[in-house]
PDB file of all heavy atoms in Angstrom:
ATOM      1  N   LYS A1046     -45.072 -39.161 151.931  1.00  0.00           N
ATOM      2  CA  LYS A1046     -44.118 -39.336 150.832  1.00  0.00           C
ATOM      3  C   LYS A1046     -42.925 -38.408 150.988  1.00  0.00           C
ATOM      4  O   LYS A1046     -41.779 -38.787 150.773  1.00  0.00           O
ATOM      5  CB  LYS A1046     -44.843 -39.035 149.508  1.00  0.00           C
ATOM      6  CG  LYS A1046     -43.974 -39.303 148.293  1.00  0.00           C
ATOM      7  CD  LYS A1046     -44.808 -39.209 147.036  1.00  0.00           C
ATOM      8  CE  LYS A1046     -44.028 -39.693 145.838  1.00  0.00           C
ATOM      9  NZ  LYS A1046     -44.907 -40.027 144.745  1.00  0.00           N
ATOM     10  N   LEU A1049     -40.828 -39.369 154.475  1.00  0.00           N
ATOM     11  CA  LEU A1049     -40.032 -40.579 154.542  1.00  0.00           C
ATOM     12  C   LEU A1049     -38.749 -40.366 153.757  1.00  0.00           C
ATOM     13  O   LEU A1049     -38.770 -40.216 152.553  1.00  0.00           O
ATOM     14  CB  LEU A1049     -40.802 -41.754 153.933  1.00  0.00           C
ATOM     15  CG  LEU A1049     -41.540 -42.662 154.919  1.00  0.00           C
ATOM     16  CD1 LEU A1049     -42.387 -43.669 154.173  1.00  0.00           C
ATOM     17  CD2 LEU A1049     -40.570 -43.374 155.829  1.00  0.00           C
ATOM     18  N   ASN A1150       5.100-100.534 102.001  1.00  0.00           N
ATOM     19  CA  ASN A1150       6.524-100.515 101.726  1.00  0.00           C
ATOM     20  C   ASN A1150       7.335-101.181 102.820  1.00  0.00           C
ATOM     21  O   ASN A1150       8.241-101.986 102.543  1.00  0.00           O
ATOM     22  CB  ASN A1150       7.015 -99.073 101.546  1.00  0.00           C
ATOM     23  CG  ASN A1150       6.527 -98.496 100.227  1.00  0.00           C
ATOM     24  OD1 ASN A1150       6.229 -99.244  99.286  1.00  0.00           O
ATOM     25  ND2 ASN A1150       6.441 -97.176 100.156  1.00  0.00           N
ATOM     26  N   SER A1332     -28.109 -62.655 152.787  1.00  0.00           N
ATOM     27  CA  SER A1332     -27.308 -61.466 153.055  1.00  0.00           C
ATOM     28  C   SER A1332     -27.611 -60.289 152.142  1.00  0.00           C
ATOM     29  O   SER A1332     -26.995 -59.270 152.261  1.00  0.00           O
ATOM     30  CB  SER A1332     -25.828 -61.823 152.916  1.00  0.00           C
ATOM     31  OG  SER A1332     -25.573 -62.130 151.558  1.00  0.00           O
TER      32      SER A1332
END
Side-chain angles (χ1 to χ4, degrees):
Chain A
K1046 185 171 189 161
L1049 263 173
N1150 288 336
S1332 67

